Amino acid sequence: MKASVLEEYGRLVWKEVPKPVISGDETLVRVNFASICGSDQHIFMGEFHPRTKLPLIQGHEFAGEIAGIGPEVKHFCPGDRVVADPIIWCGSCPACRKGHYPACTSLRLIGVDLDGGFAQYARVPESMLYKVPDTIRNEHAALIEVLSIGFHACQRADLKKDESLVIWGAGKVGQSILQAARTKTAGKIILVDILEERLRKAKKSYPDVHTINALQMNPVSEIMKITGGKGVDVAFEAVGHGKEISGVVHPVRGCIQAIRGAGTVCVLGLSDEPAPLVMKELIWKEARIIASRVTHGEFKETIDALNIGLLKPDILITDVFPPDQTQHAFEILKREPEKHLKILLDFTSVH
């Protein structure tokens, strides 16, 4: 089979590799589309070293159809359309024993810690698969994982009907939170970013969303105007590596300042830089600050929402490339981040 192989950091090679051999409860998934994630970009640049071992077939956001099954597979058949939940937890650490799998101390992912979906075929245990209805397009099925991150964040923040929220960061994760949140609340949604094109994309599909360009106005002041001085019920931070802006506080601190008394801040951005906070701002509001990582079974909720047309996945897709251009895809994501959200790799074009 053909695969895009990360042979050294910064260099992907489209080459022939052995097709995975399955056994037991494993399935062989013929990949239709795979999606490039922000984490994939960090892996590509070597920022997950030494966790990642080279050579590696990346790709933890992918969907396809069953091409083969092991003798112990019970619930899937060849030809079934599926999406893979890439999370592998240990089952024995304190978090796992409490059923809180995203907090597993040795959490691993297909496409990060072992070979994944940037290939014609991927080996996936049946316990990690969800069936995809025929009504969902192949391209959209490859986005189920990132959209599920949005649903998981809403679950972690305990977002309720009619609550208001702000999302700092209109990238892949922020846009996914926006879509999930709109299925749960009719309250005000505010989106903050410094890239006008990302705000424009969200506004075009969700006209009722308030957008704030942090380069043009102070986000916290504007949020207070929009909410009549009350603040929002929930604030999500999905920026990660933030840009320092004169006169504008760090996104996490901005979230704390933007919530009402007893509100909730949910942090998702994976930044290595410390966030300068004034904890009394959180304490005065007796507010909650929590974290959200990956997903915890929200795939079914996402699939159901996609199936009945509640989500708008095309917002996320900015390009579709054949997989022999994976290196080019990563290069333009780095060079032109303002122009791109999700780049999909189309494996249906490989023969």
Side-chain angles (χ1 to χ4, degrees):
M1 71 171 185
K2 288 287 187 71
S4 184
V5 182
L6 186 64
E7 295 206 326
E8 59 185 73
Y9 294 119
R11 187 172 74 92
L12 286 154
V13 179
W14 178 245
K15 61 188 291 188
E16 192 76 28
V17 298
K19 184 187 292 187
V21 176
I22 60 173
S23 62
D25 67 346
E26 295 173 332
T27 70
L28 186 67
V29 176
R30 181 185 296 111
V31 177
N32 287 329
F33 283 85
S35 172
I36 299 176
C37 172
S39 296
D40 292 321
Q41 293 175 256
H42 293 303
I43 293 167
F44 174 77
M45 293 184 287
E47 296 173 8
F48 273 42
H49 179 77
R51 175 180 170 183
T52 50
K53 310 299 181 188
L54 302 186
L56 173 69
I57 299 173
Q58 294 176 255
H60 61 273
E61 299 179 10
F62 62 95
E65 61 186 53
I66 300 290
I69 59 173
E72 298 174 17
V73 173
K74 298 178 181 178
H75 304 294
F76 293 88
C77 299
D80 285 347
R81 299 179 71 236
V82 293
V83 62
D85 181 345
I87 299 169
I88 305 168
W89 57 85
C90 73
S92 59
C93 72
C96 283
R97 288 201 299 270
K98 291 189 174 185
H100 196 152
Y101 303 124
C104 173
T105 54
S106 56
L107 190 74
R108 298 185 302 151
L109 280 84
I110 291 177
V112 178
D113 302 285
L114 60 164
D115 286 342
F118 289 177
Q120 284 183 279
Y121 295 90
R123 182 173 58 195
V124 186
E126 73 164 332
S127 61
M128 300 170 69
L129 293 177
Y130 289 81
K131 291 183 180 179
V132 177
D134 290 339
T135 50
I136 296 176
R137 287 166 44 194
N138 287 333
E139 298 95 317
H140 296 168
L143 299 173
I144 288 171
E145 197 271 352
V146 69
L147 289 166
S148 295
I149 288 174
F151 278 96
H152 182 58
C154 291
Q155 184 273 327
R156 289 287 293 156
D158 194 24
L159 182 66
K160 293 182 171 60
K161 182 182 177 181
D162 296 327
E163 286 192 326
S164 60
L165 64 132
V166 62
I167 305 164
W168 243 271
K172 309 171 187 71
V173 172
Q175 300 271 0
S176 297
I177 296 170
L178 164 62
Q179 296 200 33
R182 189 41 94 210
T183 71
K184 296 179 176 295
T185 177
K188 288 185 174 70
I189 296 181
I190 306 166
L191 194 59
V192 180
D193 207 292
I194 61 173
L195 298 176
E196 190 63 34
E197 178 60 20
R198 292 184 175 181
L199 296 172
R200 186 196 66 78
K201 285 176 71 69
K203 187 75 173 177
K204 183 178 180 180
S205 294
Y206 292 90
D208 61 335
V209 169
H210 301 268
T211 58
I212 300 172
N213 189 322
L215 294 177
Q216 300 173 6
M217 60 188 76
N218 185 290
V220 175
S221 299
E222 196 64 21
I223 291 164
M224 288 303 168
K225 290 179 186 176
I226 293 169
T227 61
K230 297 176 182 178
V232 294
D233 297 295
V234 179
F236 295 93
E237 187 278 315
V239 174
H241 298 278
K243 177 180 179 180
E244 188 172 339
I245 304 170
S246 177
V248 176
V249 297
H250 185 279
V252 178
R253 188 178 178 192
C255 284
I256 294 172
Q257 292 181 354
I259 56 172
R260 61 165 170 79
T264 298
V265 172
C266 183
V267 180
L268 294 89
L270 292 173
S271 173
D272 295 320
E273 297 85 22
L277 304 181
V278 178
M279 292 308 295
K280 69 179 181 181
E281 294 176 345
L282 187 74
I283 294 166
W284 279 347
K285 293 181 177 180
E286 200 172 30
R288 292 193 310 154
I289 185 166
I290 61 171
S292 181
R293 181 189 183 194
V294 294
T295 60
H296 193 182
E298 288 84 9
F299 274 52
K300 184 181 184 308
E301 184 178 11
T302 304
I303 291 168
D304 289 345
L306 271 173
N307 194 36
I308 60 176
L310 292 181
L311 304 180
K312 302 180 181 182
D314 285 322
I315 297 175
L316 295 171
I317 302 171
T318 47
D319 299 274
V320 179
F321 287 164
D324 60 358
Q325 294 186 29
T326 307
Q327 173 79 27
H328 174 62
F330 275 85
E331 288 173 352
I332 67 170
L333 281 169
K334 182 179 180 180
R335 186 172 63 246
E336 302 172 334
E338 71 283 356
K339 295 182 180 179
H340 306 278
L341 285 172
K342 280 292 186 184
I343 293 180
L344 299 186
L345 304 175
D346 180 3
F347 283 88
T348 65
S349 63
V350 181
H351 302 289

